[in-house]
Amino acid sequence: MSRHRISEDREKQSVEISDEDNDGSLPQSYVVMRFDKNIPDATLEWIVDKIHTLRTNGGGELLVLKQPYKESEGVVLHISASTIKFLEAAEEMEIMKCDKNGVRREFTVSSLEDFLPDGMHVDDFLTTAEKQKIIKHELENIRALPVEGCIPGYPQYTLYEGQSILHVCLVEHLIKAIYPLHDVESLKKLGKRWYATLFDPQPLEEIRLYFGEAIALYFAFLGFYTAALVFPTFLGFLQLFVSHETVPFFCVFNVVWVTVLLELWRRRSNELAFQWGTIGMTSLDEPRGNFHGRMGKDAVTGRIQPQYPRWKTTAKLYFVSIPIVIACMLFASVFMLALFWVEDYMKDLGTPLAEQLMNLPSIIYSILVFIINVKYKTLATYLTNWENHRTASQFDRHRVIKLIMFEFVNTFMSLFYIAFVKQDLEILKTQLATMLIVQQAINNIQEVLIPLFIKKYTQRTQQNISVSKEVEDKCENINSREILKHIPEIRSDDTRIAEAEKEDLMDVYEETYDDYLEMYIQFGYVVLFSSVYPLAAFWAVVNNFVEIRSDAFKLCKFNRRPFSKKVKDIGAWQKAFEVVGGLSILTNCGLMFISFHQRKDAYFFDQLQWLVMFVALEHCLLGIRYLLHIAIQDKPEWVRVALAKKYHASKQALKNEQLLKNRGILARKFKTVSSRPFKS
């Protein structure tokens, strides 16, 4: 199937859906879009026209179906695309596929025969997740034209050239929900190999094919990190039987262990990225849907895309966003310290009333931290959107950095205060045990047991009202308003309607941020302070063993299917874990010398000698960390060789192409010269 053939067939796309409808079948639904019940007909017609119209006219070139209208639900559309559209978009999005030789490379329409396995129909070439990602990409890139100053029916919602129509409609709640549909059979098969097993390895490739690289990489990291925790867990139990004075040993071990862990994970991450075809992602990738700017030709790709000066994004980041984030961190720190001082003051008073109210500051702090975290998350998202980063990976990285910085202060500042201001290692040990055991148990209950109870209750309620609902639906269908007459309608007994209604009630999966954050906080507990509580790693292993299954169960049973997302690594989280790993050198050295200083034989050294020993040991551990970083290569040897071969093949192909051009030019030149009369 050549590109020329596809270009010719594109003109037939607008009538393709009508032909399928005449045959008694409609295209498969991949994405569902539910509109506000009160949306004006003019607005609805305009949005649907933008989705359906050819790209040359500013549309998305997608196929649109509608569910039978119900006044209680509003208009619900099912979005699909033709095979031609899927293949063209796959090439444009540089989707990586394995060819017949098993080599993963960018798909091109002209080489379709090289990619299509024998016996496979072209409709089955792309996975469901890839098709859903393509539809989302096309919807996000339906952008406002210069003549479109506002949304029809809503003059207050102004548009500027290049703005994503989908983003505006979601922000203004004209579109209430948009989500990809689950593939029920594939999901059942995945669940049996994933959360239904206890000790089998995670099916990472199947997870990637169904949920995308971002989610697969999170579970790969979680499994890798949990396996690495076995070593400190073993030593923690050994400490129970050997000696209680093991703080120095655990301080040194933690530094070495965390460095090796993160370096080996970086290596494993690059290995997976190469296998999945994402290792070559750069800042030149497709702009995200919310990226805005004047439409123009991209200097590198030559495509018409939004253009926004990089210096404006940088200026917003350094002169506005970062100062605001630092101010929020300072406020949180001062607020926490003030409550600690109040608590200490009440303890020193010793009055009966003070003793009764002594825990009040901690309770107030816990409540306010939860509220502040929610508000700050909204602020961080707003600031990152306002900065207008070009790609999704850049947006995610800057948003995560803002959130991590604030979360670090809220989570660990109290432990730093107990460890290095109060210097009470027993309270620190108790606090760590409480956070690791109680908080992690509460998190698992919130993530699985409560949603499971709600789901069972909802199912029972729906069964009780199913009869009355059928009667209401019939009445609504009789009195439904006449809209979108030109859009084919799905039959009322079609199973995809019930599936869409079921998934519409599911929780939205808010990407992997909360999952990574949970592991990040746990990682901080283990490496920053666990030298005073070596069993911290054991409780982390227990939690993570449950976490892998509970997160998988939650994804497959309680959440809407998220759109597949391509990533090459865990992004800003890698740096966040490395920063905590570096900081663990200071905290562990500090804990070690506090432990020594509180022993009876501490009089052998004065304060200056303690300080010199602290600095010397800290520098030695930093040196060990640096040597390990140098010794452990980021990429395995076979990945480096494969990348070199790929680069060489690409370079050779360009040379051959240029050679053919040169031969053509020279042939024409010599033909012209040889036709001239020879002069002696």
Side-chain angles (χ1 to χ4, degrees), residues 53 94 104 323 361 539:
T53 303
E94 300 176 351
R104 189 178 295 275
W539 294 113

Side-chain angles (χ1 to χ4, degrees), residues 269-308:
S269 176
N270 283 323
E271 184 179 334
L272 290 173
F274 178 80
Q275 292 173 352
W276 296 344
T278 60
I279 199 168
M281 289 178 62
T282 67
S283 60
L284 299 177
D285 290 335
E286 283 287 321
R288 63 190 182 94
N290 296 352
F291 179 67
H292 59 82
R294 294 184 63 85
M295 299 299 290
K297 183 178 289 187
D298 187 83
V300 178
T301 64
R303 299 174 185 167
I304 302 299
Q305 293 176 339
Q307 306 296 318
Y308 189 80

Side-chain angles (χ1 to χ4, degrees), residues 235-515:
L235 292 176
F237 277 107
L238 191 63
Q239 180 258 3
L240 295 177
F241 303 102
V242 177
S243 171
H244 293 285
E245 300 296 338
T246 56
V247 172
F249 172 75
F250 265 88
C251 289
V252 177
F253 171 79
N254 275 348
V255 171
V256 175
W257 174 78
V258 71
T259 304
V260 173
L261 164 67
L262 294 176
E263 292 300 327
L264 290 180
W265 165 249
R266 188 196 297 274
R267 184 182 176 93
R268 173 61 175 160
S269 176
N270 283 323
E271 184 179 334
L272 290 173
F274 178 80
Q275 292 173 352
W276 296 344
T278 60
I279 199 168
M281 289 178 62
T282 67
S283 60
L284 299 177
D285 290 335
E286 283 287 321
R288 63 190 182 94
N290 296 352
F291 179 67
H292 59 82
R294 294 184 63 85
M295 299 299 290
K297 183 178 289 187
D298 187 83
V300 178
T301 64
R303 299 174 185 167
I304 302 299
Q305 293 176 339
Q307 306 296 318
Y308 189 80
R310 181 62 187 167
W311 68 266
K312 288 187 177 181
T313 298
T314 304
K316 289 178 178 180
L317 175 65
Y318 286 102
F319 294 110
V320 179
S321 296
I322 290 181
I324 290 176
V325 171
I326 293 174
C328 291
M329 292 171 62
L330 290 174
F331 169 77
S333 301
V334 172
F335 179 70
M336 185 216 66
L337 291 174
L339 288 176
F340 269 119
W341 292 332
V342 171
E343 191 174 283
D344 291 340
Y345 174 74
M346 296 174 70
K347 186 184 296 184
D348 293 337
L349 286 177
T351 62
L353 179 61
E355 290 180 358
Q356 292 179 0
L357 299 177
M358 191 168 59
N359 293 325
L360 183 61
S362 297
I363 296 172
I364 294 174
Y365 176 72
S366 300
I367 296 172
L368 290 180
V369 160
F370 176 78
I371 298 172
I372 292 171
N373 277 344
V374 173
K375 296 297 182 182
Y376 179 79
K377 191 174 182 180
T378 303
L379 174 64
T381 303
Y382 172 80
L383 287 174
T384 312
N385 261 321
W386 175 70
E387 290 160 11
N388 197 29
H389 296 279
R390 184 178 184 276
T391 65
S393 59
Q394 291 171 341
F395 173 85
D396 291 340
R397 182 171 67 252
H398 285 89
R399 177 176 176 269
V400 166
I401 289 173
K402 294 182 182 70
L403 293 170
I404 289 174
M405 292 169 66
F406 189 76
E407 195 68 44
F408 183 89
V409 172
N410 270 345
T411 303
F412 298 114
M413 190 61 70
S414 60
L415 297 178
F416 277 101
Y417 182 82
I418 294 171
F420 300 111
V421 178
K422 288 188 172 183
Q423 295 190 3
D424 193 330
L425 300 188
E426 286 301 317
I427 293 180
L428 180 63
K429 181 178 179 179
T430 304
Q431 191 78 0
L432 270 174
T434 302
M435 289 178 171
L436 278 167
I437 300 172
V438 178
Q439 286 189 0
Q440 292 185 152
I442 292 174
N443 286 338
N444 284 318
I445 291 172
Q446 288 177 336
E447 289 179 357
V448 178
L449 295 183
I450 293 178
L452 183 61
F453 173 78
I454 293 174
K455 182 180 180 182
K456 294 293 184 183
Y457 176 78
T458 304
Q459 288 176 344
R460 190 178 297 112
T461 304
Q462 288 176 341
Q463 289 174 358
N464 294 334
I465 64 173
S466 59
V467 176
S468 60
K469 189 175 186 299
E470 289 178 4
V471 175
E472 291 176 2
D473 290 347
K474 290 179 181 178
C475 296
E476 286 180 359
N477 289 335
I478 294 173
N479 300 319
S480 63
R481 58 177 181 172
E482 294 292 331
I483 53 172
L484 303 177
K485 296 180 181 179
H486 61 291
I487 300 299
E489 184 172 278
I490 303 172
R491 293 178 55 180
S492 58
D493 59 350
D494 197 311
T495 56
R496 61 183 123 179
I497 294 179
E499 185 63 29
E501 291 175 348
K502 173 186 172 183
E503 294 182 25
D504 191 66
L505 299 175
M506 291 181 172
D507 295 331
V508 178
Y509 182 75
E510 299 290 350
E511 299 185 342
T512 54
Y513 170 76
D514 290 331
D515 296 321

